[in-house]
Amino acid sequence: MRLKVGMVWTMALAGALAGCNKSDPADPTIPAKMELVDGQPQTGQSGTAAVAPLRVKVTNAAGDGVAGVSVTWAVTTGGGTLSNTTTETSSEGIASVTYTYGQVGEQTITATIPGLSGSPQTFTLTATAAPGGGGGL
């Protein structure tokens, strides 16, 4: 009987130690990296909305999307506008905005999460003149 009790305790201890394994993956809710998903290249008329949204993905150390992470968006050249300056990632880790083209020429937009690998991500789009010679905003 003593042998059986000893074996049970040994197995319970082994199981508990296995749960404390240092090689367990990192916390899946902690963002590790941001990457550009899509939204470039695009070309559109000055003053119109880009056809496709600008999208980035935030992943954890295992490469899975992380929800609820705040992404800051900014127009750095071109004078266009964004649907939001801050968005949160979806359950798949995707954050997106809609962009409206500014003056004719190159448009640059950044998505930033301070201190995160892959941040900032930069989108480059091109605005063209409206038909009839309207040159922009």
Side-chain angles (χ1 to χ4, degrees):
M1 182 70 162
R2 254 189 178 171
L3 183 58
K4 284 185 181 181
V5 172
M7 284 178 51
V8 169
W9 278 105
T10 301
M11 290 176 70
L13 182 58
L17 290 175
C20 295
N21 186 349
K22 292 285 186 192
S23 67
D24 283 348
D27 184 340
T29 64
I30 297 177
K33 181 180 173 184
M34 180 172 62
E35 58 190 21
L36 191 147
V37 175
D38 54 25
Q40 72 167 12
Q42 290 189 71
T43 300
Q45 292 179 1
S46 179
T48 65
V51 174
L54 311 182
R55 300 185 332 144
V56 294
K57 183 171 185 176
V58 177
T59 56
N60 61 22
D64 300 318
V66 179
V69 179
S70 183
V71 177
T72 301
W73 301 85
V75 176
T76 56
T77 62
T81 58
L82 297 162
S83 57
N84 292 294
T85 56
T86 304
T87 59
E88 283 195 1
T89 56
S90 67
S91 59
E92 293 83 28
I94 304 289
S96 67
V97 294
T98 302
Y99 180 70
T100 300
Y101 293 99
Q103 63 251 38
V104 173
E106 185 176 279
Q107 317 282 296
T108 308
I109 303 94
T110 59
T112 305
I113 301 172
L116 191 65
S117 174
S119 176
Q121 288 293 319
T122 302
F123 295 81
T124 305
L125 288 76
T126 304
T128 59
L137 305 174

Coordinates of all heavy atoms in Angstrom, one line a residue, residues 30-135:
I30 N 0.2 39.1 -25.4 CA 1.2 40.2 -25.4 C 1.7 40.3 -26.9 O 2.2 39.4 -27.5 CB 2.4 39.8 -24.5 CG1 2.0 39.8 -23.1 CG2 3.5 40.8 -24.7 CD1 3.0 39.4 -22.1
P31 N 1.5 41.5 -27.4 CA 1.9 41.8 -28.8 C 3.5 41.7 -28.9 O 4.2 42.2 -28.1 CB 1.4 43.1 -29.2 CG 1.1 43.8 -27.9 CD 0.9 42.7 -26.9
A32 N 3.9 41.1 -30.0 CA 5.4 41.0 -30.3 C 5.8 41.6 -31.6 O 6.9 42.1 -31.7 CB 5.8 39.5 -30.3
K33 N 4.9 41.7 -32.5 CA 5.3 42.2 -33.9 C 4.1 42.8 -34.6 O 3.0 42.4 -34.4 CB 5.8 41.0 -34.7 CG 6.3 41.3 -36.1 CD 6.8 40.1 -36.7 CE 7.2 40.3 -38.2 NZ 7.6 39.1 -38.8
M34 N 4.4 43.8 -35.4 CA 3.4 44.4 -36.3 C 3.9 44.3 -37.8 O 5.0 44.5 -38.0 CB 3.1 45.9 -36.0 CG 2.0 46.5 -36.9 SD 1.5 48.1 -36.4 CE 3.0 49.1 -36.6
E35 N 3.0 43.9 -38.7 CA 3.3 43.8 -40.1 C 2.2 44.4 -41.0 O 1.0 44.4 -40.6 CB 3.7 42.4 -40.5 CG 2.5 41.4 -40.3 CD 3.0 40.0 -40.5 OE1 4.2 39.7 -40.4 OE2 2.1 39.2 -40.7
L36 N 2.6 44.9 -42.1 CA 1.7 45.5 -43.1 C 1.0 44.3 -43.7 O 1.6 43.4 -44.2 CB 2.5 46.3 -44.1 CG 1.6 47.2 -45.0 CD1 2.4 48.4 -45.4 CD2 1.3 46.4 -46.3
V37 N -0.4 44.4 -43.8 CA -1.2 43.3 -44.4 C -1.5 43.7 -45.9 O -1.1 42.9 -46.8 CB -2.5 43.0 -43.6 CG1 -3.3 42.0 -44.4 CG2 -2.2 42.6 -42.2
D38 N -2.2 44.8 -46.1 CA -2.5 45.2 -47.4 C -3.0 46.7 -47.4 O -3.1 47.3 -46.3 CB -3.5 44.3 -48.1 CG -4.8 44.1 -47.3 OD1 -5.1 44.9 -46.5 OD2 -5.4 43.1 -47.6
G39 N -3.2 47.2 -48.6 CA -3.6 48.6 -48.7 C -2.8 49.4 -49.6 O -3.0 50.6 -49.9
Q40 N -1.7 48.8 -50.0 CA -0.8 49.5 -51.0 C -0.3 48.5 -52.0 O -0.3 47.3 -51.6 CB 0.4 50.2 -50.3 CG 1.4 49.2 -49.7 CD 2.7 50.0 -49.3 OE1 2.8 51.2 -49.2 NE2 3.7 49.2 -49.0
P41 N 0.1 48.9 -53.2 CA 0.0 50.2 -53.7 C -1.4 50.5 -54.1 O -2.2 49.6 -54.5 CB 0.9 50.2 -54.9 CG 0.9 48.8 -55.4 CD 0.7 48.0 -54.1
Q42 N -1.8 51.8 -54.0 CA -3.1 52.2 -54.6 C -2.9 53.6 -55.2 O -2.1 54.4 -54.8 CB -4.2 52.4 -53.4 CG -4.6 51.1 -52.8 CD -5.8 51.3 -51.9 OE1 -6.9 51.6 -52.3 NE2 -5.5 51.2 -50.6
T43 N -3.8 53.9 -56.2 CA -3.8 55.2 -56.8 C -5.3 55.6 -56.9 O -6.1 54.7 -57.3 CB -3.2 55.1 -58.2 OG1 -1.8 54.7 -58.1 CG2 -3.2 56.4 -58.9
G44 N -5.5 56.8 -56.6 CA -6.9 57.3 -56.7 C -6.9 58.8 -56.9 O -5.9 59.5 -56.7
Q45 N -8.1 59.3 -57.2 CA -8.2 60.8 -57.4 C -8.2 61.6 -56.1 O -8.8 61.1 -55.1 CB -9.5 61.1 -58.2 CG -9.5 60.6 -59.6 CD -10.9 60.9 -60.3 OE1 -11.8 61.5 -59.7 NE2 -11.0 60.5 -61.5
S46 N -7.6 62.7 -56.2 CA -7.5 63.6 -55.0 C -8.9 63.9 -54.5 O -9.8 64.1 -55.3 CB -6.8 64.9 -55.5 OG -6.8 65.8 -54.4
G47 N -9.1 63.8 -53.2 CA -10.4 64.0 -52.6 C -11.4 62.8 -52.6 O -12.4 62.9 -52.0
T48 N -10.9 61.7 -53.1 CA -11.8 60.5 -53.0 C -11.2 59.5 -52.1 O -10.0 59.5 -51.7 CB -11.9 59.8 -54.4 OG1 -10.6 59.3 -54.8 CG2 -12.4 60.7 -55.5
A49 N -12.0 58.6 -51.6 CA -11.5 57.5 -50.6 C -10.8 56.4 -51.4 O -11.2 56.0 -52.5 CB -12.7 56.9 -49.9
A50 N -9.7 55.9 -50.8 CA -9.0 54.8 -51.4 C -10.0 53.6 -51.4 O -10.8 53.4 -50.6 CB -7.8 54.4 -50.5
V51 N -9.8 52.8 -52.5 CA -10.7 51.6 -52.7 C -10.6 50.6 -51.5 O -11.6 50.1 -51.0 CB -10.5 51.0 -54.0 CG1 -11.3 49.7 -54.2 CG2 -10.8 52.0 -55.1
A52 N -9.4 50.3 -51.2 CA -9.1 49.3 -50.1 C -8.6 50.0 -48.8 O -7.9 51.0 -48.9 CB -8.0 48.3 -50.6
P53 N -9.0 49.4 -47.7 CA -8.5 50.0 -46.4 C -7.1 49.7 -46.2 O -6.5 48.8 -46.8 CB -9.4 49.3 -45.4 CG -9.8 48.0 -46.0 CD -9.9 48.3 -47.5
L54 N -6.4 50.5 -45.4 CA -5.0 50.2 -45.0 C -5.1 49.3 -43.8 O -5.8 49.6 -42.8 CB -4.3 51.5 -44.7 CG -4.5 52.7 -45.7 CD1 -3.7 53.9 -45.3 CD2 -4.1 52.2 -47.1
R55 N -4.3 48.2 -43.8 CA -4.5 47.2 -42.8 C -3.1 46.7 -42.3 O -2.2 46.5 -43.1 CB -5.3 46.0 -43.2 CG -6.7 46.4 -43.6 CD -7.6 45.2 -44.0 NE -6.9 44.0 -44.5 CZ -7.3 42.8 -44.3 NH1 -8.4 42.5 -43.5 NH2 -6.7 41.7 -44.8
V56 N -3.0 46.6 -41.0 CA -1.8 46.0 -40.3 C -2.3 44.8 -39.4 O -3.4 44.8 -39.0 CB -1.0 47.0 -39.5 CG1 -0.4 48.1 -40.4 CG2 -1.8 47.6 -38.4
K57 N -1.3 43.9 -39.1 CA -1.6 42.8 -38.2 C -0.7 42.8 -37.1 O 0.5 43.0 -37.3 CB -1.6 41.5 -39.0 CG -2.0 40.3 -38.1 CD -2.1 39.0 -38.9 CE -2.6 37.9 -38.0 NZ -2.9 36.7 -38.7
V58 N -1.2 42.6 -35.9 CA -0.4 42.5 -34.7 C -0.4 41.1 -34.2 O -1.5 40.5 -34.0 CB -0.9 43.5 -33.6 CG1 -0.1 43.3 -32.3 CG2 -0.8 44.9 -34.1
T59 N 0.8 40.5 -34.0 CA 0.9 39.1 -33.6 C 1.7 38.9 -32.3 O 2.5 39.8 -31.9 CB 1.5 38.2 -34.7 OG1 2.8 38.8 -35.0 CG2 0.7 38.2 -35.9
N60 N 1.5 37.8 -31.6 CA 2.2 37.5 -30.4 C 3.5 36.7 -30.8 O 3.7 36.5 -32.0 CB 1.4 36.7 -29.4 CG 0.9 35.4 -30.0 OD1 1.4 34.8 -30.9 ND2 -0.2 34.9 -29.4
A61 N 4.2 36.2 -29.9 CA 5.5 35.5 -30.1 C 5.3 34.3 -30.9 O 6.2 33.8 -31.7 CB 6.2 35.2 -28.8
A62 N 4.1 33.7 -30.9 CA 3.8 32.5 -31.6 C 3.3 32.7 -33.0 O 3.0 31.8 -33.8 CB 2.8 31.6 -30.8
G63 N 3.1 34.0 -33.3 CA 2.5 34.4 -34.6 C 1.0 34.5 -34.7 O 0.5 34.6 -35.8
D64 N 0.3 34.4 -33.6 CA -1.1 34.5 -33.6 C -1.5 35.9 -33.4 O -0.9 36.7 -32.7 CB -1.7 33.6 -32.4 CG -1.3 32.2 -32.5 OD1 -1.4 31.6 -33.7 OD2 -1.0 31.6 -31.5
G65 N -2.7 36.3 -34.0 CA -3.2 37.7 -33.9 C -3.5 38.0 -32.5 O -4.0 37.1 -31.7
V66 N -3.3 39.2 -32.1 CA -3.6 39.7 -30.7 C -4.7 40.8 -30.8 O -4.6 41.8 -31.5 CB -2.4 40.3 -30.0 CG1 -2.7 40.8 -28.6 CG2 -1.2 39.3 -30.0
A67 N -5.8 40.6 -30.1 CA -6.9 41.5 -30.1 C -6.7 42.6 -29.1 O -6.0 42.5 -28.1 CB -8.2 40.7 -29.8
G68 N -7.4 43.8 -29.4 CA -7.5 44.9 -28.5 C -6.2 45.7 -28.4 O -6.1 46.5 -27.4
V69 N -5.3 45.7 -29.3 CA -4.1 46.5 -29.3 C -4.4 47.8 -30.0 O -4.9 47.8 -31.2 CB -2.9 45.7 -30.0 CG1 -1.7 46.6 -29.9 CG2 -2.7 44.4 -29.3
S70 N -4.0 48.9 -29.4 CA -4.2 50.2 -30.0 C -3.1 50.6 -31.1 O -1.9 50.5 -30.7 CB -4.2 51.3 -28.9 OG -4.5 52.5 -29.5
V71 N -3.6 50.9 -32.3 CA -2.7 51.3 -33.3 C -2.9 52.8 -33.7 O -4.1 53.2 -33.8 CB -2.9 50.5 -34.6 CG1 -2.0 50.9 -35.8 CG2 -2.7 49.0 -34.3
T72 N -1.9 53.6 -33.7 CA -2.0 55.0 -34.1 C -1.6 55.2 -35.5 O -0.6 54.8 -36.0 CB -1.1 55.9 -33.2 OG1 -1.4 55.6 -31.8 CG2 -1.2 57.3 -33.5
W73 N -2.5 55.9 -36.2 CA -2.4 56.2 -37.7 C -2.1 57.7 -37.9 O -2.7 58.5 -37.2 CB -3.6 55.8 -38.4 CG -4.0 54.4 -38.3 CD1 -4.7 53.8 -37.2 CD2 -3.7 53.3 -39.1 NE1 -4.9 52.5 -37.5 CE2 -4.3 52.1 -38.6 CE3 -3.0 53.2 -40.4 CZ2 -4.2 50.9 -39.2 CZ3 -2.9 52.0 -41.0 CH2 -3.5 50.9 -40.4
A74 N -1.2 58.0 -38.8 CA -0.9 59.4 -39.1 C -0.6 59.6 -40.6 O 0.0 58.7 -41.2 CB 0.3 59.9 -38.3
V75 N -1.1 60.7 -41.2 CA -0.7 61.1 -42.6 C 0.6 61.9 -42.4 O 0.6 62.9 -41.8 CB -1.8 61.9 -43.2 CG1 -1.4 62.4 -44.6 CG2 -3.1 61.1 -43.2
T76 N 1.6 61.4 -43.1 CA 2.9 62.1 -43.0 C 3.2 62.9 -44.2 O 4.0 63.9 -44.1 CB 4.1 61.1 -42.7 OG1 4.1 60.1 -43.7 CG2 3.9 60.5 -41.4
T77 N 2.7 62.6 -45.4 CA 2.8 63.4 -46.6 C 1.5 63.3 -47.4 O 0.8 62.3 -47.4 CB 4.0 63.1 -47.5 OG1 3.8 61.7 -48.0 CG2 5.3 63.2 -46.8
G78 N 1.2 64.3 -48.2 CA 0.0 64.3 -49.1 C -1.2 65.0 -48.7 O -2.1 65.3 -49.5
G79 N -1.3 65.3 -47.4 CA -2.4 66.1 -46.9 C -3.8 65.4 -46.9 O -4.8 66.1 -46.8
G80 N -3.8 64.1 -47.0 CA -5.1 63.4 -47.0 C -5.7 63.2 -45.6 O -5.1 63.8 -44.6
T81 N -6.8 62.5 -45.5 CA -7.4 62.3 -44.2 C -7.7 60.8 -43.9 O -7.8 60.0 -44.8 CB -8.7 63.1 -44.0 OG1 -9.6 62.6 -45.1 CG2 -8.5 64.6 -44.1
L82 N -7.7 60.5 -42.6 CA -8.0 59.1 -42.2 C -9.4 59.0 -41.5 O -9.8 60.0 -40.9 CB -6.9 58.7 -41.2 CG -5.5 58.6 -41.7 CD1 -4.5 58.7 -40.5 CD2 -5.3 57.4 -42.5
S83 N -10.0 57.9 -41.6 CA -11.3 57.7 -41.0 C -11.1 57.7 -39.4 O -12.1 58.1 -38.8 CB -11.9 56.3 -41.4 OG -11.0 55.3 -41.1
N84 N -10.0 57.3 -38.9 CA -9.7 57.4 -37.5 C -8.2 57.6 -37.3 O -7.4 57.1 -38.1 CB -10.0 56.1 -36.8 CG -11.5 55.8 -36.7 OD1 -12.2 56.6 -36.1 ND2 -12.0 54.8 -37.5
T85 N -7.8 58.2 -36.2 CA -6.3 58.3 -36.0 C -5.8 57.2 -35.0 O -4.7 57.0 -34.9 CB -6.0 59.7 -35.4 OG1 -6.7 59.9 -34.2 CG2 -6.2 60.8 -36.4
T86 N -6.8 56.5 -34.4 CA -6.5 55.4 -33.5 C -7.5 54.3 -33.7 O -8.7 54.6 -33.7 CB -6.4 55.8 -32.0 OG1 -5.5 56.9 -31.8 CG2 -6.0 54.6 -31.1
T87 N -7.0 53.0 -33.9 CA -8.0 51.9 -34.0 C -7.4 50.8 -33.2 O -6.2 50.7 -32.8 CB -8.1 51.4 -35.5 OG1 -6.8 51.0 -36.0 CG2 -8.7 52.5 -36.4
E88 N -8.3 49.8 -32.8 CA -7.9 48.6 -32.1 C -7.9 47.4 -33.0 O -8.7 47.3 -33.9 CB -8.8 48.4 -30.9 CG -8.5 49.3 -29.7 CD -9.1 48.9 -28.4 OE1 -9.8 47.8 -28.4 OE2 -9.0 49.6 -27.4
T89 N -7.0 46.5 -32.7 CA -7.0 45.3 -33.5 C -8.2 44.4 -33.2 O -8.7 44.4 -32.1 CB -5.7 44.5 -33.2 OG1 -5.6 44.2 -31.8 CG2 -4.5 45.2 -33.7
S90 N -8.6 43.7 -34.2 CA -9.8 42.7 -34.1 C -9.3 41.5 -33.4 O -8.2 41.3 -33.1 CB -10.3 42.4 -35.5 OG -9.3 41.7 -36.2
S91 N -10.2 40.5 -33.3 CA -9.9 39.2 -32.7 C -8.8 38.5 -33.6 O -8.1 37.6 -33.0 CB -11.1 38.3 -32.6 OG -11.7 38.1 -33.9
E92 N -8.7 38.8 -34.8 CA -7.6 38.2 -35.7 C -6.3 39.0 -35.6 O -5.3 38.7 -36.3 CB -8.1 38.2 -37.1 CG -9.2 37.2 -37.4 CD -10.6 37.8 -37.1 OE1 -10.7 39.0 -37.2 OE2 -11.5 37.0 -36.7
G93 N -6.3 40.2 -34.9 CA -5.1 41.0 -34.8 C -5.0 42.1 -35.8 O -4.0 42.7 -36.0
I94 N -6.1 42.3 -36.6 CA -6.1 43.3 -37.7 C -6.6 44.6 -37.3 O -7.7 44.7 -36.7 CB -6.9 42.7 -38.9 CG1 -6.4 41.4 -39.4 CG2 -6.9 43.8 -40.0 CD1 -5.1 41.3 -40.1
A95 N -5.9 45.7 -37.6 CA -6.4 47.0 -37.4 C -6.4 47.7 -38.8 O -5.5 47.4 -39.6 CB -5.4 47.8 -36.5
S96 N -7.4 48.5 -39.1 CA -7.5 49.1 -40.4 C -8.1 50.5 -40.3 O -8.8 50.8 -39.3 CB -8.4 48.2 -41.3 OG -9.7 48.2 -40.9
V97 N -7.9 51.3 -41.4 CA -8.4 52.6 -41.5 C -8.8 52.8 -43.0 O -8.2 52.2 -43.9 CB -7.5 53.8 -41.1 CG1 -7.3 53.8 -39.6 CG2 -6.2 53.8 -41.8
T98 N -9.6 53.8 -43.3 CA -9.9 54.2 -44.6 C -9.2 55.5 -44.8 O -9.2 56.4 -43.9 CB -11.5 54.4 -44.8 OG1 -12.1 53.1 -44.5 CG2 -11.8 54.8 -46.2
Y99 N -8.6 55.7 -46.0 CA -7.9 56.9 -46.3 C -8.5 57.6 -47.5 O -9.0 57.0 -48.4 CB -6.4 56.5 -46.7 CG -5.6 57.7 -47.1 CD1 -5.2 58.6 -46.1 CD2 -5.2 57.9 -48.4 CE1 -4.4 59.7 -46.4 CE2 -4.5 59.0 -48.8 CZ -4.0 59.9 -47.8 OH -3.3 61.0 -48.1
T100 N -8.6 59.0 -47.3 CA -9.1 59.8 -48.4 C -7.9 60.6 -48.9 O -7.2 61.3 -48.1 CB -10.2 60.8 -47.9 OG1 -11.3 60.0 -47.5 CG2 -10.7 61.7 -49.0
Y101 N -7.7 60.5 -50.2 CA -6.5 61.2 -50.9 C -6.5 62.7 -50.7 O -7.5 63.3 -50.8 CB -6.5 60.9 -52.4 CG -6.2 59.4 -52.7 CD1 -7.3 58.6 -53.0 CD2 -5.0 58.9 -52.7 CE1 -7.1 57.2 -53.3 CE2 -4.7 57.5 -53.0 CZ -5.8 56.7 -53.3 OH -5.6 55.4 -53.5
G102 N -5.3 63.2 -50.5 CA -5.1 64.6 -50.4 C -4.7 65.2 -51.7 O -5.2 64.8 -52.8
Q103 N -3.7 66.1 -51.7 CA -3.3 66.8 -53.0 C -2.6 65.8 -53.9 O -2.1 64.7 -53.5 CB -2.3 68.0 -52.7 CG -1.0 67.7 -52.0 CD -1.0 68.1 -50.6 OE1 -2.0 68.1 -49.9 NE2 0.2 68.6 -50.2
V104 N -2.5 66.1 -55.2 CA -1.9 65.3 -56.2 C -0.5 64.9 -55.8 O 0.3 65.8 -55.4 CB -2.0 66.0 -57.6 CG1 -1.2 65.2 -58.6 CG2 -3.4 66.2 -58.0
G105 N -0.1 63.6 -56.0 CA 1.2 63.2 -55.7 C 1.2 62.1 -54.7 O 0.2 61.4 -54.4
E106 N 2.4 61.8 -54.2 CA 2.6 60.7 -53.2 C 1.9 61.0 -51.9 O 2.0 62.1 -51.4 CB 4.1 60.5 -53.0 CG 4.4 59.3 -52.1 CD 5.9 59.1 -52.0 OE1 6.5 58.5 -52.9 OE2 6.5 59.5 -50.9
Q107 N 1.3 60.0 -51.3 CA 0.7 60.0 -50.0 C 1.4 59.0 -49.1 O 1.5 57.9 -49.5 CB -0.8 59.6 -50.2 CG -1.5 60.2 -51.4 CD -1.9 61.6 -51.2 OE1 -2.7 61.9 -50.3 NE2 -1.4 62.5 -52.0
T108 N 1.8 59.4 -47.9 CA 2.4 58.5 -47.0 C 1.6 58.5 -45.7 O 1.3 59.6 -45.1 CB 3.9 58.9 -46.7 OG1 4.5 59.1 -48.0 CG2 4.6 57.9 -45.9
I109 N 1.3 57.3 -45.2 CA 0.6 57.1 -44.0 C 1.3 56.1 -43.1 O 1.9 55.1 -43.7 CB -0.8 56.6 -44.3 CG1 -1.6 57.5 -45.2 CG2 -1.6 56.4 -43.0 CD1 -1.5 57.1 -46.7
T110 N 1.4 56.3 -41.8 CA 2.1 55.4 -40.9 C 1.1 54.8 -39.9 O 0.1 55.4 -39.5 CB 3.2 56.1 -40.2 OG1 2.7 57.2 -39.4 CG2 4.3 56.5 -41.1
A111 N 1.4 53.6 -39.5 CA 0.7 52.9 -38.5 C 1.8 52.6 -37.4 O 2.8 52.0 -37.7 CB 0.1 51.6 -39.0
T112 N 1.5 53.0 -36.2 CA 2.5 52.9 -35.1 C 2.0 52.3 -33.8 O 0.9 52.6 -33.4 CB 3.1 54.3 -34.8 OG1 3.5 54.9 -36.0 CG2 4.2 54.3 -33.8
I113 N 2.9 51.5 -33.2 CA 2.7 51.0 -31.9 C 4.0 51.2 -31.2 O 5.0 50.4 -31.5 CB 2.2 49.5 -31.8 CG1 0.9 49.3 -32.5 CG2 2.1 49.1 -30.3 CD1 0.6 47.8 -32.7
P114 N 4.2 52.2 -30.4 CA 5.5 52.5 -29.8 C 6.2 51.3 -29.2 O 5.6 50.5 -28.4 CB 5.2 53.6 -28.8 CG 4.0 54.2 -29.3 CD 3.2 53.1 -29.9
G115 N 7.5 51.1 -29.5 CA 8.3 50.0 -28.9 C 8.0 48.6 -29.5 O 8.7 47.7 -29.1
L116 N 7.1 48.4 -30.4 CA 6.8 47.1 -31.0 C 7.7 46.8 -32.2 O 7.8 47.7 -33.1 CB 5.3 47.0 -31.3 CG 4.9 45.6 -31.6 CD1 5.0 44.7 -30.4 CD2 3.4 45.6 -32.1
S117 N 8.2 45.6 -32.3 CA 8.9 45.2 -33.5 C 8.1 45.4 -34.7 O 6.9 45.1 -34.7 CB 9.3 43.7 -33.4 OG 9.9 43.3 -34.5
G118 N 8.6 46.0 -35.8 CA 7.9 46.2 -37.0 C 7.2 47.5 -37.1 O 6.5 47.8 -38.0
S119 N 7.3 48.3 -36.1 CA 6.6 49.6 -36.0 C 7.6 50.7 -36.2 O 8.7 50.6 -35.6 CB 5.9 49.7 -34.6 OG 5.3 51.0 -34.5
P120 N 7.3 51.7 -36.9 CA 6.0 51.9 -37.7 C 6.0 51.2 -39.0 O 7.1 50.8 -39.5 CB 6.0 53.4 -37.9 CG 7.4 53.8 -38.0 CD 8.2 52.9 -37.1
Q121 N 4.8 50.9 -39.5 CA 4.6 50.4 -40.9 C 4.2 51.6 -41.7 O 3.4 52.5 -41.3 CB 3.5 49.4 -40.9 CG 3.9 48.1 -40.3 CD 5.0 47.4 -41.1 OE1 5.0 47.4 -42.4 NE2 6.0 46.8 -40.4
T122 N 4.7 51.7 -42.9 CA 4.5 52.9 -43.8 C 3.8 52.4 -45.1 O 4.2 51.5 -45.7 CB 5.8 53.6 -44.2 OG1 6.5 54.0 -43.0 CG2 5.6 54.8 -45.1
F123 N 2.7 53.1 -45.4 CA 1.9 52.9 -46.6 C 2.2 54.1 -47.6 O 2.2 55.2 -47.1 CB 0.4 52.9 -46.3 CG 0.0 51.8 -45.4 CD1 0.1 51.9 -44.0 CD2 -0.6 50.7 -46.0 CE1 -0.3 50.8 -43.2 CE2 -1.0 49.6 -45.1 CZ -0.9 49.7 -43.8
T124 N 2.4 53.7 -48.8 CA 2.6 54.8 -49.9 C 1.6 54.6 -51.0 O 1.5 53.5 -51.6 CB 4.0 54.7 -50.5 OG1 5.0 54.7 -49.4 CG2 4.3 55.8 -51.5
L125 N 0.8 55.7 -51.2 CA -0.3 55.7 -52.2 C 0.0 56.9 -53.1 O 0.8 57.7 -52.8 CB -1.7 55.8 -51.5 CG -2.2 54.6 -50.8 CD1 -1.5 54.4 -49.4 CD2 -3.7 54.7 -50.6
T126 N -0.8 57.0 -54.2 CA -0.6 58.1 -55.1 C -1.9 58.7 -55.5 O -2.9 58.0 -55.8 CB 0.1 57.6 -56.4 OG1 1.3 56.9 -56.1 CG2 0.3 58.7 -57.4
A127 N -2.0 60.0 -55.3 CA -3.2 60.8 -55.7 C -3.0 61.4 -57.1 O -2.0 61.9 -57.4 CB -3.5 61.9 -54.7
T128 N -4.1 61.2 -57.9 CA -4.1 61.8 -59.3 C -5.0 63.0 -59.3 O -5.9 63.1 -58.4 CB -4.4 60.8 -60.3 OG1 -5.8 60.3 -60.0 CG2 -3.5 59.6 -60.3
A129 N -4.9 63.8 -60.3 CA -5.8 64.9 -60.5 C -7.2 64.4 -60.9 O -7.3 63.4 -61.6 CB -5.3 65.9 -61.6
A130 N -8.2 65.2 -60.5 CA -9.6 64.8 -60.8 C -9.8 65.1 -62.3 O -9.1 66.0 -62.9 CB -10.6 65.7 -60.0
P131 N -10.7 64.4 -63.0 CA -10.9 64.7 -64.4 C -11.3 66.2 -64.6 O -11.9 66.8 -63.7 CB -12.1 63.8 -64.8 CG -12.1 62.8 -63.7 CD -11.5 63.4 -62.5
G132 N -10.9 66.8 -65.7 CA -11.2 68.2 -66.0 C -10.2 69.1 -65.4 O -10.4 70.3 -65.3
G133 N -9.0 68.6 -64.9 CA -8.0 69.4 -64.4 C -8.0 69.9 -63.0 O -7.1 70.6 -62.6
G134 N -9.0 69.4 -62.2 CA -9.0 69.7 -60.8 C -7.7 69.2 -60.1 O -7.5 68.0 -60.1
G135 N -6.8 70.0 -59.7 CA -5.5 69.6 -59.2 C -5.4 69.1 -57.8 O -4.3 68.7 -57.4

